[in-house]
Amino acid sequence: MKIRIDHERCRGAGQCALHAPELFDQSDDDGTVVLLDAEPPPELEDSARLAAALCPNSVITIIES
């Protein structure tokens, strides 16, 4: 799995950081998403999918291997 972020569309809702803090954080400057691990280990893949599904701006793309 690979995770891609569309930073241009992020509005800083924070659902990703809330539901998958091992993979996502928020910028101290503007609150937008910070990707911590673009290729998560298998045990975090479900968290990545949940974060992508809950993102109100659909900025997280999951690329399945």
Side-chain angles (χ1 to χ4, degrees):
M1 165 186 284
K2 292 184 182 183
I3 302 171
R4 299 285 181 252
I5 302 294
D6 183 348
H7 291 283
E8 298 294 317
R9 293 181 18 207
C10 182
R11 299 295 174 249
Q15 293 302 305
C16 56
L18 180 66
H19 293 282
E22 308 87 352
L23 300 174
F24 305 98
D25 199 355
Q26 288 183 272
S27 167
D28 289 335
D29 294 332
D30 61 6
T32 58
V33 64
V34 174
L35 181 59
L36 302 176
D37 190 349
E39 296 185 28
E43 62 269 17
L44 295 179
E45 289 181 358
D46 286 342
S47 295
R49 289 184 193 98
L50 177 62
L54 293 175
C55 179
N57 291 38
S58 300
V59 304
I60 302 169
T61 300
I62 302 294
I63 302 164
E64 300 288 349
S65 302

